[in-house]
Amino acid sequence: MRRALLLALALAAPASAQRAAAPFSVAETGRGYGSLQDAVQAIGGGRGTILIAPGTYRECAVQTDGMVTYKAVQPGTAVFERETCEDKAALVLRGRASIVDGLVFRGYSVNDGNGAGIRIETGDLSVANAMFLDSQQGILGGNPSAQRITIDHSTFAGLGQCDESVNCSHAVYLINRGQVTITRSRFERGTGGHYVKLRVPSFTITGNSFDDSAGRGTNYMIDLSEGGTGTIAGNVFVQGAHKENASTLIAVAPEARTYPSNGLAIEYNTATLAPGAPQGPAFVTDFSHAALRLGANQLGPGIQPLVQR
């Protein structure tokens, strides 16, 4: 009987060791998987957390259902690079909801110029403690629903392009009929397009750093393409010297007045020009003709507070 028990333990050991060594594991079941897509499929239409071990991965996944959390075991040590699903992104999300925590995405480029770390197509999204580096886009999403998208304590660097495809790409580009919240995040070293481009009715952009001093070929810091209302407060802006468009830092409704901008609060921000940056940009250029609430912003020499078009 003792020999039978030892044999059973010996046979079970390789499977246990394999689960322990698997880079992707579902926290709720303890099961490990060799690929991220297999872990997503295991959660299916349910709710689950995929724990991702430290490493560099040429992996991507498509989520079509459920509520999935993608979480690095140690923030900043799970790095995804280059490999896209559906010629779109590392994570293509169209489930009920998704959370991304502590992951790094870098080196994404596809033929249509929209290679991204995350493509959010349906469902709510929360991103925290993440990094998006040296790609055509960081986060891209569009859906005609009341999505809620939040980005917190994340870094966006080396993103955007206007010369690889017909349309520009941006560090963050989101379209929906809900709400976008961006807090405590850093945008820097842009390579084209805008740092944040939104087509949404409601937004909160607070406590962020927009450092364009090492940017190349960049446009606006924040582009509220079709208007909208909310709060832009407590951010720090540095306008760089190598702009494609140096006319303004924040543009309100430059393309359409789809969403009312009355009451949009832009206050308690700081903005300066980097050495060599063109003089005379507007801090805010308003195309909406709405009653904006422009509060106490600290603007450096050479920056106009408001220009109306």
Side-chain angles (χ1 to χ4, degrees):
M1 186 171 182
R2 177 180 171 81
R3 291 182 60 189
L5 179 60
L6 291 173
L7 178 61
L9 290 172
L11 292 173
S16 299
Q18 184 178 20
R19 284 197 296 273
F24 310 102
S25 61
V26 176
E28 290 76 10
T29 64
R31 292 198 60 182
Y33 299 88
S35 79
L36 181 60
Q37 188 66 61
D38 286 347
V40 172
Q41 293 300 110
I43 293 171
R47 180 195 297 262
T49 297
I50 300 172
L51 300 176
I52 303 171
T56 299
Y57 301 100
R58 296 285 182 89
E59 294 260 357
C60 65
V62 179
Q63 177 189 342
T64 59
D65 201 355
M67 304 175 71
V68 179
T69 296
Y70 305 82
K71 184 178 178 64
V73 173
Q74 298 174 1
T77 64
V79 180
F80 289 83
E81 61 179 16
R82 300 187 184 180
E83 185 71 23
T84 64
C85 284
E86 300 181 351
D87 208 31
K88 294 177 180 177
L91 297 179
V92 180
L93 306 175
R94 44 179 180 263
R96 285 181 288 143
S98 307
I99 297 172
V100 176
D101 188 355
L103 304 185
V104 179
F105 302 91
R106 69 186 182 198
Y108 290 96
S109 176
V110 299
N111 291 331
D112 71 359
N114 289 316
I118 297 175
R119 175 78 72 94
I120 173 66
E121 296 187 348
T122 64
D124 294 342
L125 171 65
S126 176
V127 176
N129 308 309
M131 299 183 73
F132 300 83
L133 309 173
D134 304 320
S135 302
Q136 291 169 328
Q137 303 241 31
I139 301 175
L140 171 63
N143 189 274
S145 69
Q147 284 177 298
R148 296 181 66 88
I149 297 177
T150 64
I151 300 167
D152 181 56
H153 206 262
S154 294
T155 296
F156 298 80
L159 303 168
Q161 61 80 26
C162 285
D163 58 0
E164 299 176 34
S165 62
V166 174
N167 297 313
C168 292
S169 304
H170 317 281
V172 172
Y173 185 15
L174 297 170
I175 308 167
N176 64 50
R177 297 185 182 275
Q179 184 174 25
V180 171
T181 300
I182 304 174
T183 53
R184 302 188 303 170
S185 294
R186 182 170 178 83
F187 296 84
E188 62 184 7
R189 196 168 48 83
T191 51
H194 309 303
Y195 284 94
V196 172
K197 183 177 178 73
L198 303 179
R199 299 181 188 271
V200 301
S202 179
F203 47 82
T204 299
I205 304 172
T206 58
N208 303 286
S209 169
F210 293 84
D211 183 359
D212 188 45
S213 58
R216 294 290 185 274
T218 54
N219 286 271
Y220 307 147
M221 306 287 196
I222 299 174
D223 177 15
L224 308 173
S225 303
E226 299 181 50
T229 192
T231 301
I232 300 174
N235 303 287
V236 176
F237 300 89
V238 179
Q239 175 98 311
H242 304 285
K243 308 288 292 182
E244 181 181 75
N245 184 342
S247 62
T248 192
L249 282 71
I250 301 170
V252 181
E255 298 179 36
R257 303 175 193 171
T258 307
Y259 303 114
S261 297
N262 289 323
L264 167 58
I266 304 175
E267 54 194 5
Y268 309 118
N269 301 285
T270 300
T272 57
L273 300 179
Q279 297 287 305
F283 180 55
V284 177
T285 299
D286 176 35
F287 299 81
S288 73
H289 301 286
L292 305 184
R293 199 171 85 218
L294 215 60
N297 297 292
Q298 185 176 345
L299 306 181
I303 301 178
Q304 305 177 67
L306 175 67
V307 170
Q308 292 184 312
R309 300 292 189 192

